[in-house]
């Protein structure tokens, strides 16, 4: 019995003891274990030359709760040869015991053996729990690219001037700026057709240059032609396998240089000034100067002061000074040149330009003559084109000027006119017959060469009718106008005769479905248009149904050649998709040579889907002969315009003359039969500074509103409330 008990006791003790060996327990009965941490776990070595070495260190840390035992440390090189290793004598004694929270230092050596990138890892075998699938922990190793790098100094290699028959030798240093051996396999010229260049250095290929080392490459040049510009290709094993060295040089010859190449004089009237320039030989042989004189066409106010006698010669790098004198005898700017002839093969003739700016007052009239062909107002601009102020005194007509010439506005008062400043005088011609007239406008000032500036006046009135009615346009294209919309276009009547026009009637003689109407109130006794004046008729197109319409406006007048004139009216209609407002875009009255404020035109998409706007331009005949309507801002085209959205354009009007101006703006788009949308442009140039602005409230396009009512049972009370209060809601 005692024997059985003893056997049982030892079995229990062995089992219990075996449990103590298998694991370590803390006070809670939970097992603990070592845990390894590698700091860092990834090392990248910077590139160093082949044959050199560098050492980096890593830490092996035990962040577990019991001692860590490292049994094996090894290096695995995956690429770049045996670049990575543990330095001799630096491998820790194995097995290596590391207590909790303690570290061990590991040294890693990088010594590149060839060009390229090295890759590998350090493998550590231990009893740590956190190991990779293969049972190891690893430090990843890599290096930056190790390569050769070529550089030639100098580049380009410049031989300069080499006398004919001589040979010159220069060196360019080939340097290896990289970390690996530089291997040069071949040197070759791109052309060297005349065999002017040769490689003097004896080279055995392949040529190797170690990192940081140089090679002296000597090249000779024996000129046969005027100059060389050659490329030497250096074939090598770097990222620039065909490295280029440019080689330049020239056969020594005389070469002329003038300095400066421009002489500028600024003189007061009657004064003299002298300036100098140098003639220099920058070539390699004697420069023979055979001619030195003022060029043909030079102002007589220029002269050479004590010029050297030709012919004479200048040796290489030698120079001579030449003096030029300017004597200002008027207030006109002067031009000229000194012409030099030599034996320079490239530039046998060179010039030194001469220019002189006169100092003084100089009034100029633009145009210098006013010619009238019908009753009208013409403007002459008086400008000070000098560089000193002018004192303008008065403006008048010569005693022999016809009484049919007059000032449209009183001439400006006496004033000082600074350089570059202008003023304008408007002359009116009001003929009482068709006889030619003459006269002169006189501008009095202190202009030294024209104290009384004369602007001739003449008239050549055609021998035609007293009334000569010009109608523009003769065809009105309304483009596409939506059903129920109204579009207004303008007809301008201008009297180009010498008398008065009487427009007795303006009737719509062809008007299908009464879609056309006159928007201008017409005097029952007729409209009188004085000579040179305008009258505007607005014609409105308002389609109610249909697709296309053609009408005709007949204008009756006392024009003997054309007593009845016709204007064709053309428009199409349908369901509108794109609308531009306001239309017409009326800029009101603007003073001649001034500009209106910016007017906004808004383009709406009232289709059920997006449309594409493809272009914006002025219509035919707009801005003719002078541009007076301007687009100041617009979206880039093409432009997608979603349903219900709009874009804005901004335009201005700047009249160049007196009287009404009309035009059109065309907006091309992707809607069939509705491209382009045409918008009328209207403005009037006047002679006063009183401006009339026309403000139009935009009639934004109407839209249909669709209400969808939920008819499910759960919404029955809402349906009843909506039905009972629908009138209030609407």
């Amino acid at each position: 019995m005692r024997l059985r008990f003893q056997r049982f006791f030892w079995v229990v003790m062995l089992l219990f003891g075996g449990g103590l060996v298998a694991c370590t327990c803390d006070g809670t009965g939970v097992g603990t274990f070592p845990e390894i941490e590698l700091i860092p776990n990834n090392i990248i070595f910077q590139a160093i030359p082949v044959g050199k070495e560098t050492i980096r260190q890593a830490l092996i840390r035990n962040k577990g709760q019991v001692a860590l035992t490292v049994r094996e440390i090894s290096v695995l090189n995956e690429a770049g040869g045996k670049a990575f290793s543990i330095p001799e004598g630096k491998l820790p004694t194995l097995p290596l015991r590391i207590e909790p929270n303690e570290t061990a230092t590991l040294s890693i050596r990088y010594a590149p053996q060839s060009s390229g990138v090295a890759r590998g890892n350090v493998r550590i075998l231990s009893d740590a729990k956190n190991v990779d699938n293969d049972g190891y922990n690893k430090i990843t190793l890599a290096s930056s690219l190790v390569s050769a790098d070529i550089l030639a100094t100098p580049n380009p290699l410049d031989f300069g001037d080499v006398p004919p028959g001589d040979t010159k030798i220069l060196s360019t240093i080939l340097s290896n700026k990289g970390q690996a051996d530089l291997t040069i396999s071949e040197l070759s010229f791109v052309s060297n057709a005349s065999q002017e260049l040769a490689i003097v250095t004896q080279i055995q290929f392949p040529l190797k240059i170690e990192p940081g080392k140089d090679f002296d490459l000597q090249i000779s040049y024996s000129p046969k032609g005027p100059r060389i510009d050659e490329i030497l290709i250096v074939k090598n094993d770097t990222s620039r396998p065909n490295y280029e060295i440019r080689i330049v040089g020239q056969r020594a010859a005389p070469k002329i240089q003038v300095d400066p190449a421009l002489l500028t004089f600024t003189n007061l009237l009657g004064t003299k000034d002298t300036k100098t320039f140098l003639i220099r030989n920058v070539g390699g042989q004697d420069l023979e100067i055979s001619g030195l004189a003022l060029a043909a066409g030079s102002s007589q106010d220029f002269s050479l002061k004590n010029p050297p006698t030709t012919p004479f010669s200048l040796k290489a790098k030698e120079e001579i000074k030449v003096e030029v004198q300017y004597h200002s005898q008027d207030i006109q700017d002067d031009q000229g040149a000194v012409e030099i002839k030599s034996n320079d093969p490239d530039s046998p003739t060179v010039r030194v330009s001469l220019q002189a700016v006169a100092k003084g007052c100089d009034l100029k009239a633009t145009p210098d003559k006013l010619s009238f062909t019908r009753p009208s107002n013409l403007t002459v601009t008086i400008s000070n084109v000098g560089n000193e102020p002018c004192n303008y005194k008065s403006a008048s007509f010569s005693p022999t000027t016809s009484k049919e010439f007059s000032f449209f506005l009183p001439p400006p008062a006496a004033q000082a006119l600074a350089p570059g400043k202008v003023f304008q005088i408007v002359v009116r011609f009001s003929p009482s017959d068709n006889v030619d007239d003459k006269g002169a406008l006189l501008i009095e000032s202190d202009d030294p060469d024209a104290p009384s500036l004369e602007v001739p006046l003449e008239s050549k009135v055609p021998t035609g009718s007293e009334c000569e009615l010009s109608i523009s346009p003769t065809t009105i294209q309304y483009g596409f106008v939506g059903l129920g919309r109204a579009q207004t276009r303008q007809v301008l009547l201008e009297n180009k005769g010498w008398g008065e026009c009487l427009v007795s009637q303006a009737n719509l003689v062809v008007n299908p479905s009464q879609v056309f109407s006159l928007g201008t109130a017409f005097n029952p006794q007729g409209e009188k248009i004085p000579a040179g004046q305008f009258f505007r008729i607005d014609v409105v197109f308002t389609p109610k149904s249909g697709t296309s319409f053609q009408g005709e406006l007949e204008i009756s007048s006392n024009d003997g050649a054309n007593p009845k004139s016709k204007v064709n009216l053309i428009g199409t209609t349908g369901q509108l998709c794109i609308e531009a407002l306001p239309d017409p875009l009326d800029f009101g009255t603007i003073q001649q040579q001034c500009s209106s404020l910016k007017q906004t035109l808004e383009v709406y998409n009232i289709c059920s889907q997006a449309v594409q706007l493809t272009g914006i331009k002025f219509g035919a005949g707009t801005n003719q002969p002078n541009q007076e309507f301007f687009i100041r801002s617009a979206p880039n085209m093409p432009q997608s315009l979603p349903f219900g959205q709009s874009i804005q354009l901004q335009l201005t009007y700047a009249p160049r003359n007196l009287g009404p101006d009309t035009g059109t703006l065309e907006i091309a788009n992707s809607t069939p039969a509705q491209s382009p949308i045409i918008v009328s442009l209207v403005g009037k140039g006047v002679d006063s500074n009183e401006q009339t602005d026309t403000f139009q409230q935009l009639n934004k396009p109407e839209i249909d509103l669709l209400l969808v009512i939920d008819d499910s049972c759960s919404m029955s009370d809402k349906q009843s409330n909506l039905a009972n209060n629908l009138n209030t809601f609407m």
Side-chain angles (χ1 to χ4, degrees):
M1 183 68 179
R2 178 176 296 175
L3 181 59
R4 288 183 180 176
F5 175 77
Q6 289 177 346
R7 290 177 179 173
F8 176 77
F9 175 79
W10 288 114
V11 168
V12 171
M13 290 302 292
L14 286 171
L15 291 174
F16 184 75
L20 288 176
V21 174
C23 67
T24 303
C25 298
D26 59 14
T28 62
V30 179
T32 58
F33 47 84
E35 187 175 354
I36 192 170
E37 181 182 14
L38 302 177
I39 306 172
N41 62 2
N42 183 25
I43 299 178
I44 299 178
F45 290 85
Q46 296 297 320
I48 60 176
V50 174
K52 301 293 184 179
E53 69 174 42
T54 183
I55 295 176
R56 296 278 297 273
Q57 292 181 331
L59 297 178
I60 305 173
R61 178 174 177 264
N62 178 7
K63 63 177 185 176
Q65 297 178 356
V66 297
L68 169 71
T69 300
V70 177
R71 297 187 177 89
E72 178 185 332
I73 300 175
S74 60
V75 176
L76 176 63
N77 285 282
E78 299 172 344
K82 295 182 179 181
F84 301 113
S85 63
I86 303 296
E88 186 176 352
K90 296 295 184 179
L91 180 66
T93 303
L94 300 176
L96 173 65
R97 179 184 176 87
I98 304 175
E99 297 298 328
N101 295 320
E102 296 295 330
T103 60
T105 302
L106 179 63
S107 297
I108 304 168
R109 174 177 173 267
Y110 168 57
Q113 299 176 346
S114 61
S115 61
V117 175
R119 290 190 300 275
N121 58 73
V122 177
R123 304 196 306 169
I124 300 172
L125 180 65
S126 70
D127 61 352
K129 179 182 178 181
N130 57 323
V131 296
D132 295 342
N133 292 334
D134 58 0
Y136 288 90
N137 293 93
K138 300 181 183 69
I139 301 175
T140 303
L141 306 176
S143 74
S144 299
L145 176 65
V146 174
S147 64
D149 189 14
I150 186 171
L151 179 69
T153 307
N155 188 5
L157 187 62
D158 189 351
F159 282 90
D161 291 310
V162 179
D166 286 2
T167 296
K168 187 175 183 179
I169 298 175
L170 291 180
S171 291
T172 183
I173 305 301
L174 302 180
S175 302
N176 181 1
K177 299 297 184 179
Q179 303 86 24
D181 287 350
L182 169 64
T183 301
I184 297 174
S185 58
E186 183 182 349
L187 297 174
S188 61
F189 295 104
V190 169
S191 174
N192 198 21
S194 300
Q195 300 297 307
E196 297 174 280
L197 296 171
I199 296 173
V200 178
T201 308
Q202 298 297 316
I203 303 174
Q204 183 175 357
F205 294 103
L207 170 65
K208 289 188 179 295
I209 303 176
E210 295 179 357
K213 300 297 183 179
D214 301 325
F215 181 79
D216 186 352
L217 177 63
Q218 293 187 328
I219 300 173
S220 67
Y221 169 47
S222 303
K224 297 178 181 177
R227 60 184 53 83
I228 57 163
D229 192 342
E230 180 61 83
I231 298 294
L232 176 64
I233 302 295
V234 183
K235 293 188 177 181
N236 61 88
D237 60 350
T238 69
S239 59
R240 294 180 286 179
N242 291 311
Y243 185 78
E244 295 185 357
I245 301 175
R246 185 182 176 199
I247 302 173
V248 295
Q250 60 188 15
R251 184 175 58 197
K255 185 171 182 61
I256 190 171
Q257 182 187 72
V258 291
D259 183 27
L262 170 66
L263 297 180
T264 301
F265 299 83
T266 303
N267 285 33
L268 290 173
L269 185 65
T271 63
K272 295 180 180 181
D273 190 18
T274 300
K275 294 185 180 296
T276 63
F277 68 92
L278 295 175
I279 303 175
R280 183 181 295 121
N281 180 9
V282 295
Q285 291 187 319
D286 289 355
L287 177 69
E288 301 290 338
I289 305 296
S290 57
L292 176 64
L294 290 173
S298 297
S299 168
Q300 294 182 352
D301 291 353
F302 294 111
S303 61
L304 294 179
K305 186 177 180 181
N306 303 318
T309 302
T310 56
F312 62 90
S313 65
L314 296 175
K315 297 186 179 298
K317 312 305 179 184
E318 190 178 358
E319 61 187 24
I320 191 172
K321 182 186 295 185
V322 179
E323 293 183 315
V324 180
Q325 186 178 81
Y326 174 64
H327 182 194
S328 176
Q329 302 183 55
D330 53 43
I331 59 170
Q332 302 298 319
D333 293 347
D334 291 305
Q335 304 288 333
V338 178
E339 191 172 81
I340 307 156
K341 296 182 178 181
S342 71
N343 64 336
D344 183 334
D346 295 324
S347 302
T349 301
V350 296
R351 288 189 170 201
V352 175
S353 297
L354 309 174
Q355 63 180 27
V357 179
K359 299 278 287 183
C361 156
D362 188 10
L363 286 187
K364 180 180 180 182
T366 306
D368 58 5
K369 182 179 183 180
L370 296 182
S371 297
F372 298 83
T373 58
R374 57 185 178 87
S376 57
N377 302 320
L378 295 181
T379 301
V380 60
T381 299
I382 307 300
S383 55
N384 181 2
V385 297
N387 47 30
E388 295 290 333
C390 284
N391 291 314
Y392 157 73
K393 300 176 182 177
S394 64
S396 61
F397 295 106
S398 67
T400 58
T401 298
S402 167
K403 300 302 181 184
E404 297 184 349
F405 297 108
S406 63
F407 290 113
F408 181 70
L409 294 173
Q415 58 186 277
L417 197 63
K421 298 298 183 181
V422 303
F423 64 84
Q424 293 180 324
I425 297 175
V426 182
V427 178
R428 167 176 283 174
F429 174 57
S430 303
S432 57
D433 50 41
N434 59 353
V435 177
D436 294 346
D437 295 289
K438 293 183 179 297
L441 173 65
L442 303 178
I443 309 297
E444 307 292 336
S445 72
D446 62 352
D447 184 333
D449 62 341
S452 183
L453 180 63
E454 182 174 311
V455 181
L457 309 174
E458 66 176 14
S459 71
K460 293 185 179 297
V461 178
T463 58
S465 304
E466 178 180 359
C467 169
E468 183 182 345
L469 197 63
S470 172
I471 298 176
S472 176
T474 57
T475 298
I476 294 179
Q477 294 278 3
Y478 288 91
F480 187 91
V481 179
L483 289 170
R485 299 290 203 276
Q487 190 74 269
T488 302
R489 295 285 185 265
Q490 294 73 34
V491 178
L492 282 182
L493 311 182
E494 181 184 5
N495 181 5
K496 292 188 175 181
W498 54 267
E500 185 177 75
C501 283
L502 178 65
V503 179
S504 55
Q505 289 184 341
N507 296 321
L508 293 163
V509 295
V510 178
N511 191 4
S513 302
Q514 303 300 304
V515 294
F516 299 105
S517 61
L518 296 182
T520 302
F522 206 79
N523 191 333
Q525 282 75 42
E527 294 289 349
K528 295 180 180 179
I529 307 176
Q533 299 300 308
F534 299 82
F535 181 72
R536 193 180 87 186
I537 300 176
D538 291 342
V539 186
V540 185
F541 174 45
T542 312
K544 305 292 186 184
S545 61
T547 57
S548 62
F549 297 91
Q550 294 189 10
E552 188 176 282
L553 173 66
E554 184 178 80
I555 300 171
S556 302
S557 69
N558 63 335
D559 186 336
N562 297 290
K564 290 187 181 296
S565 302
K566 297 183 184 298
V567 178
N568 298 315
L569 312 174
I570 301 173
T572 59
T573 187
Q575 189 62 42
L576 191 63
C577 192
I578 302 176
E579 187 167 19
L581 296 173
D583 187 3
L585 187 59
D586 193 339
F587 293 91
T589 60
I590 305 296
Q591 186 176 9
Q592 180 186 4
Q593 303 300 329
C594 292
S595 177
S596 71
L597 297 175
K598 293 178 181 179
Q599 297 280 9
T600 299
L601 179 71
E602 196 150 4
V603 182
Y604 296 88
N605 176 6
I606 55 178
C607 282
S608 59
Q609 60 185 9
V611 297
Q612 193 83 355
L613 304 181
T614 57
I616 300 172
K617 68 175 184 177
F618 290 108
T622 305
N623 290 330
Q624 298 296 330
N626 301 309
Q627 182 170 8
E628 296 175 304
F629 296 103
F630 299 86
I631 299 173
R632 295 306 183 187
S633 68
N636 293 329
M637 295 291 156
Q639 174 86 24
S640 179
L641 187 60
F643 163 64
Q645 300 298 310
S646 65
I647 63 166
Q648 290 186 344
L649 315 176
Q650 288 191 320
L651 295 89
T652 59
Y653 167 61
R656 296 291 180 263
N657 46 33
L658 302 177
D661 294 295
T662 62
T664 57
L665 183 72
E666 297 182 356
I667 304 172
N669 60 84
S670 61
T671 306
Q674 297 189 34
S675 181
I677 296 294
I678 301 176
V679 180
S680 289
L681 307 176
V682 180
K684 184 178 182 180
V686 295
D687 52 36
S688 70
N689 57 8
E690 293 183 4
Q691 177 172 316
T692 300
D693 293 324
T694 302
F695 300 94
Q696 295 182 336
Q697 182 67 36
L698 294 182
N699 296 318
K700 294 190 176 182
E702 299 174 353
I703 63 171
D704 295 325
L705 182 63
L706 175 65
L707 298 179
V708 179
I709 303 172
D710 190 342
D711 62 352
S712 63
C713 294
S714 63
M715 297 294 290
S716 60
D717 58 330
K718 307 299 187 298
Q719 298 166 15
S720 299
N721 288 339
L722 182 60
N724 294 333
N725 296 282
L726 187 60
N727 290 337
T728 303
F729 177 75
M730 297 299 291

